[in-house]
Amino acid sequence: MPKNTSVAAHLRRLLELLAAGAPAEDFGAVATEARRVGAGADDLAEIEQATQAALRVHSALRQHQRREAELTALFDTAGDLAALRDLDAVLRSIVRRARMLLGTDTAYLTLPDEEAGDTFMRVTDGSVSVLFQNLRLQLGEGLGGLVAQTARPYATPDYRTDERFHHTHSIDAGVLDEGLVAILGVPLLLGSGSGGKVIGALFAADRTPRTFSPDEVALLCSLANHAAIAIDTAKAMTDARVALAELAEANAVIRERSAAMQRAEESHDRLSDLVLRGGDVADVVAAVADLLQGDVTVFDAGGWPLTETARGADRAGGGGGAVGGGSAHDATGVDGSGGPAPAGAAAAVVRAAEDSRATAHAVLHDGRWVCAALAGQEMLGSLVLSGRPDLDGPDRRLFERSSVVTSLLLLLRRSVAETENRVRGDLITDLLTAPDRDPAGLVARGRNLGIDLNRPHLVLVASTGADVRERLAGAAVQYLFGTGSVSAEHAGTVMLVPAGGTAPGGAARAAAEQLTHLVGAPVTVAGAGPAAGPRALADAHAEAARCLQALHVLGRRGAGGSAGELGFLGVLLGKDHDVEGFVAATLGPLLEYDERRGTQLVRTLAAYFGCGGSLTRAKEELHVHINTVVQRLDRIQAILGPGWNSPEHALELQLALRLRLLSLS
């Protein structure tokens, strides 16, 4: 091959390698091939010079390509910033591009935690260590801490052996767990010069030793500047959104206050109109419930309801009209089943009302608003609003103003009730002292006072200690307040005549509980009835008075009950002497067992008592083995309970056995 042809072929090969973007090591193979084919010394020298020139061109091309990639990444990052929507997404993109452009194993970004006073990992790319991803650095610790403290970039080819940095156990453990060796860190700066502020740091790291070039440091600094702009822009946008939200909230508050003021004026006019038209407490309660869209109830000073619960229109599905006064059950604390209302609930209302009186404002208690109704410092009762735990200022003031209106109506209502009660008291006195003198006249007088004596009524007789006896009459008036019932003093006691419909014992216990609370001392109450007509009511009073005396004799001070609940004492005290009822209540379980099983438990019990409790004599009378007597007595205990042989129960059992024997003879 001619010389010029040989050199030209090798030079053409070098150009082909440049055009193909071949790696640098492929260029050296051209000179090697020339030696193999026997090229002369001059040709070899020329080929080697051409190879060096080709390598310089190759390096320049690679540098231009890298610059192009860097510029493309920076332009892409700038585009991300222009369309900033999600800060985390932009930061993840910057960290990922830093890792790609520098060709490192990992890249990560840290931000300061102002509350904790340190820095934390915000974004990582290529990291595999959970320990490293959760590292926190104090200012000045490690390479990152030094970058944040000095606001200058730092690089190390081998972090673990580099003594320029303050090594700590936690940082070194995280770097070791990630396997990092070479690290480059640059600050995220806002502003320039000495006035710049470091708001974080951007890092690129390899798991093998490496020296980072100035171009790589400059590239990472450019990406860090973009990250700083992204963070600052996101913060500005967040501040703007917060400011807009606060402005919108302020406008909403202004509109709400304006509407509240207008509503308060309308509410004041509505309540004033109710009072001027002679409205009752129930009318005010219904209006307040409708205005506040909640459930409203008025309670007396003892915590017991004076009105039925009124519900707002949108809560009850109705028009929020007036609600009638509470029934006798509501006022006496007796529910529809004849059982007493829960005293704990009444006590809770009283405690909340006392808190309201102390603060002179409505108070929130167990999700309900309570406002005291006062006459001076005297507690007349309270308003309770449910269903509005978020009661705001204007509505709360409306609720408090409604308690003032309620106080006026309660005070007026109590004055009228006390006047009416004195007149009704005269009627009760005549009823008890001379029921047969003019029964028709008594009934007529009762009707004029709103009491139908021919309707069934319970009769309750209450007494308390002599030192607080003067309080009992007033407490009885307050207890029956708003029920249309009547009370009167008689022979050192107070008689109460609520409408019938519940068991006298339950009504007596409820009255004893509430009157004790109102008086502040134990009040004992006995009940009888229901009874209708002057004579029957007088007899019921006599029975209740005897029962009251028995309660005192039995030491049941502060309790309530009726003759029918006192066992054999009830038989002796009661007007009708219900012998069959007493026998059935006492021996009923044994009689049913004998009838169902064909046994002789009642006969065995009679023999046992008849023999003075002697098992030997009882078995002879019954003509059975003594073990049979023992077994029957065990069965009696299982049916009647372990206290069947106590003196009190044994007396009742013996009386019931005697009465049954008399009824069978």
Side-chain angles (χ1 to χ4, degrees):
M1 176 183 297
K3 172 184 175 182
N4 59 348
T5 303
S6 175
V7 172
H10 291 301
L11 294 178
R12 187 169 55 252
R13 177 59 181 162
L14 289 173
L15 291 173
E16 290 174 351
L17 291 174
L18 283 173
E25 55 268 20
D26 290 353
F27 289 84
V30 175
T32 302
E33 177 63 20
R35 290 190 189 92
R36 189 183 65 79
V37 298
D42 293 339
D43 292 341
L44 285 174
E46 186 175 351
I47 291 171
E48 287 179 350
Q49 290 177 2
T51 300
Q52 294 300 320
L55 285 173
R56 287 194 297 273
V57 173
H58 177 270
S59 176
L61 289 174
R62 294 296 298 269
Q63 187 174 5
H64 286 311
Q65 290 172 353
R66 189 178 74 251
R67 291 287 187 184
E68 183 181 357
E70 292 173 356
L71 289 173
T72 300
L74 291 175
F75 278 122
D76 290 343
T77 302
D80 290 344
L81 291 176
L84 179 63
R85 293 294 183 271
D86 183 355
L87 176 62
D88 285 340
V90 173
L91 295 181
R92 283 194 299 269
S93 175
I94 291 173
V95 171
R96 184 167 57 254
R97 286 169 184 157
R99 180 189 174 200
M100 176 188 68
L101 292 174
L102 271 68
T104 56
D105 296 322
T106 64
Y108 51 95
L109 185 145
T110 62
L111 293 180
D113 185 338
E114 295 181 358
E115 292 185 1
D118 58 9
T119 59
F120 66 98
M121 293 285 185
R122 175 65 183 270
V123 181
T124 64
D125 191 75
S127 173
V128 296
S129 168
V130 176
L131 178 63
F132 181 77
Q133 294 165 12
N134 290 281
L135 269 181
R136 300 186 76 92
L137 292 77
Q138 298 293 332
L139 193 65
E141 292 181 351
L143 185 149
L146 194 59
V147 169
Q149 186 178 42
T150 63
R152 295 174 55 191
Y154 279 89
T156 175
D158 189 348
Y159 175 79
R160 288 171 287 189
T161 62
D162 198 329
E163 297 298 329
R164 291 179 299 164
F165 313 114
H166 175 55
H167 290 263
T168 66
H169 174 73
S170 61
I171 297 175
D172 288 353
V175 171
L176 180 63
D177 194 54
E178 188 64 59
L180 300 182
V181 177
I183 304 176
L184 168 62
V186 299
L188 273 62
L189 284 171
L190 283 180
S192 60
S194 59
K197 178 183 179 184
V198 178
I199 62 170
L202 179 63
F203 301 86
D206 260 338
R207 295 188 175 92
T208 56
R210 170 178 175 173
T211 300
F212 293 96
S213 68
D215 289 342
E216 290 173 328
V217 174
L219 173 61
L220 196 61
C221 285
S222 296
L223 290 171
N225 290 335
H226 281 82
I229 294 172
I231 294 172
D232 188 52
T233 303
K235 182 177 183 301
M237 292 176 65
T238 300
D239 292 343
R241 284 194 293 267
V242 171
L244 287 174
E246 291 177 348
L247 181 60
E249 184 178 352
N251 287 333
V253 169
I254 292 173
R255 289 194 299 270
E256 184 179 351
R257 291 292 176 86
S258 177
M261 291 179 61
Q262 182 178 357
R263 193 154 140 260
E265 293 178 2
E266 295 174 353
S267 302
H268 183 269
D269 293 341
R270 182 172 175 181
L271 293 178
S272 300
D273 184 59
L274 274 176
V275 175
L276 293 175
R277 287 190 293 104
D280 198 358
V281 175
D283 299 313
V284 173
V285 167
V288 173
D290 190 39
L291 290 168
L292 298 180
Q293 298 303 320
D295 300 345
V296 180
T297 307
V298 174
F299 292 83
D300 65 14
W304 304 93
L306 290 177
T307 65
E308 295 177 353
T309 301
R311 291 177 170 82
D314 67 342
R315 292 174 58 82
V323 178
S327 66
H329 303 324
D330 295 327
T332 59
V334 180
D335 60 24
S337 63
V349 172
V350 172
R351 287 194 299 270
E354 289 293 342
D355 292 341
S356 174
R357 174 163 65 176
T359 61
H361 291 288
V363 297
L364 184 63
H365 182 78
D366 290 339
R368 300 186 301 173
W369 286 97
V370 181
C371 190
L374 303 173
Q377 286 301 310
E378 181 186 359
M379 178 79 71
L380 298 178
S382 59
L383 257 72
V384 176
L385 171 66
S386 305
R388 285 292 308 275
D390 58 340
L391 199 65
D392 57 12
D395 281 353
R396 193 181 309 173
R397 287 189 291 273
L398 169 60
F399 181 55
E400 291 169 351
R401 281 196 295 269
S402 66
S403 72
V404 176
V405 177
T406 303
S407 299
L408 293 174
L409 292 177
L410 287 176
L411 193 60
L412 176 62
R413 189 174 174 182
R414 189 177 70 178
S415 299
V416 172
E418 289 175 348
T419 302
E420 291 180 348
N421 199 67
R422 284 193 294 270
V423 178
R424 290 174 178 175
D426 295 338
L427 171 65
I428 294 299
T429 300
D430 293 342
L431 175 67
L432 296 181
T433 55
D436 298 323
R437 181 183 304 167
D438 183 12
L442 291 173
V443 171
R445 287 170 58 190
R447 285 175 180 162
N448 291 334
L449 296 174
I451 305 173
D452 187 356
L453 298 181
N454 286 329
R455 287 184 55 197
H457 287 79
L458 295 178
V459 175
L460 305 180
V461 179
S463 69
T464 187
D467 54 335
V468 292
R469 186 174 297 164
E470 69 280 359
R471 302 183 198 167
L472 184 55
V477 173
Q478 186 175 352
Y479 171 65
L480 296 177
F481 183 46
T483 67
S485 302
V486 65
S487 65
E489 294 184 78
H490 183 75
T493 63
V494 173
M495 175 185 177
L496 300 88
V497 188
T502 60
R509 283 186 291 276
E513 180 181 3
Q514 296 178 59
L515 290 174
T516 295
H517 176 75
L518 294 172
V519 172
V523 176
T524 310
V525 181
R535 167 47 62 186
L537 288 170
D539 292 342
H541 175 269
E543 180 178 322
R546 292 193 298 269
C547 180
L548 179 66
Q549 184 178 5
L551 290 173
H552 283 298
V553 171
L554 294 173
R556 294 172 62 178
R557 187 166 173 258
S562 64
E565 297 173 341
L566 295 182
F568 73 93
L569 285 177
V571 175
L572 299 176
L573 297 172
K575 174 180 178 293
D576 296 328
H577 303 296
D578 185 8
V579 174
E580 292 184 1
F582 173 70
V583 172
T586 308
L587 297 177
L590 297 181
L591 292 170
E592 292 175 4
Y593 190 90
D594 282 347
E595 183 178 354
R596 188 170 63 253
R597 301 291 184 88
T599 55
Q600 298 186 28
L601 297 184
V602 174
R603 181 168 176 261
T604 301
L605 185 63
Y608 174 74
F609 283 133
C611 296
S614 171
L615 297 176
T616 302
R617 291 170 55 195
K619 66 101 175 174
E620 292 175 354
E621 182 174 333
L622 294 170
H623 304 292
V624 296
H625 194 274
I626 192 171
N627 289 340
T628 302
V629 178
V630 172
Q631 292 171 0
R632 291 180 180 178
L633 292 177
D634 288 342
R635 176 57 60 185
I636 291 172
Q637 178 171 311
I639 296 173
L640 298 182
W644 72 274
N645 204 17
S646 64
E648 181 180 351
H649 290 169
L651 179 59
E652 290 192 0
L653 287 170
Q654 292 180 64
L655 178 59
L657 288 169
R658 293 293 181 88
L659 292 173
R660 179 174 180 271
L661 181 62
L662 290 173
S663 66
L664 295 176
S665 61

